[in-house]
Amino acid sequence: LQSQNINTLVESRSAAEVVSKNKWHYSLSYKASRMYLEDTASQHETLRYFIDFHRDSISYEKSVTTIDGKPYAKVMFVLGTDNERYQEALLSEKYPGLSRGIRENGGVGYNGVYNQDFATTMILIEVGGDYNTYEEVTNSAQAVADVLTTYIKGHQ
């Protein structure tokens, strides 16, 4: 995004440290990241889009694809169904086969909000899995940035 003249901030504080320090269960990780999200948004009121990147715990075979001879880590968009705000994202036109689709999570046993109630421009993207290479994940991040740039510049 930065290379497309879209200013960005990357959160460098660790939600895992907050969880550990407070002796919280892992399931409260989004509570920890929410604290950082609110803090950063209050300090930078011009922020408009919020992107939460994760990696999924899936097999390598399910998390990799090749597009025009270039390796990519597949991406999946997660929508928390326990909040009133939803956002869809599609990559299939520019990068066919890159998206694993949209997974809706909610109800008992799931977070179901994923901080997506914070803003209508909050999106959670899982990129690849534990075994994807740096190159695959970087290629996918660039593809996502390409599509987001088109979207953002079209809505300015």
Side-chain angles (χ1 to χ4, degrees):
L1 293 174
Q2 206 59 37
S3 70
Q4 296 295 323
N5 296 318
I6 297 174
N7 292 330
T8 61
L9 289 175
V10 176
E11 180 59 66
S12 60
R13 296 174 288 184
S14 170
E17 286 179 13
V18 173
V19 169
S20 177
K21 180 181 176 183
N22 289 293
K23 297 183 172 128
W24 292 344
H25 186 268
Y26 174 77
S27 64
L28 294 176
S29 296
Y30 282 97
K31 178 179 180 179
S33 65
R34 176 68 170 244
M35 292 167 36
Y36 292 148
L37 180 62
E38 290 173 346
D39 179 54
T40 300
S42 71
Q43 293 180 39
H44 303 277
E45 294 179 3
T46 59
L47 288 176
R48 293 180 47 204
Y49 300 94
F50 305 91
I51 305 165
D52 190 356
F53 276 101
H54 290 249
R55 69 178 173 191
D56 205 352
S57 56
I58 59 171
S59 69
Y60 183 76
E61 295 76 27
K62 291 182 181 178
S63 69
V64 67
T65 191
T66 301
I67 302 171
D68 295 330
K70 195 172 180 180
Y72 290 84
K74 286 190 170 190
V75 300
M76 180 172 51
F77 300 89
V78 179
L79 293 175
T81 59
D82 294 339
N83 73 79
E84 295 179 6
R85 297 178 170 178
Y86 289 88
Q87 175 155 339
E88 296 182 25
L90 301 174
L91 290 177
S92 23
E93 288 180 31
K94 284 186 138 179
Y95 299 92
L98 182 61
S99 176
R100 290 175 40 223
I102 298 173
R103 180 176 68 210
E104 295 183 7
N105 274 353
V108 177
Y110 291 94
N111 176 285
V113 177
Y114 304 106
N115 290 328
Q116 292 170 341
D117 60 332
F118 183 78
T120 58
T121 55
M122 178 76 184
I123 188 168
L124 171 57
I125 305 172
E126 294 193 357
V127 181
D130 296 338
Y131 305 105
N132 287 97
T133 66
Y134 178 81
E135 178 186 18
E136 292 163 351
V137 172
T138 299
N139 288 342
S140 297
Q142 289 172 343
V144 169
D146 178 39
V147 172
L148 287 174
T149 296
T150 300
Y151 176 82
I152 291 168
K153 288 188 174 181
H155 288 86
Q156 288 182 336

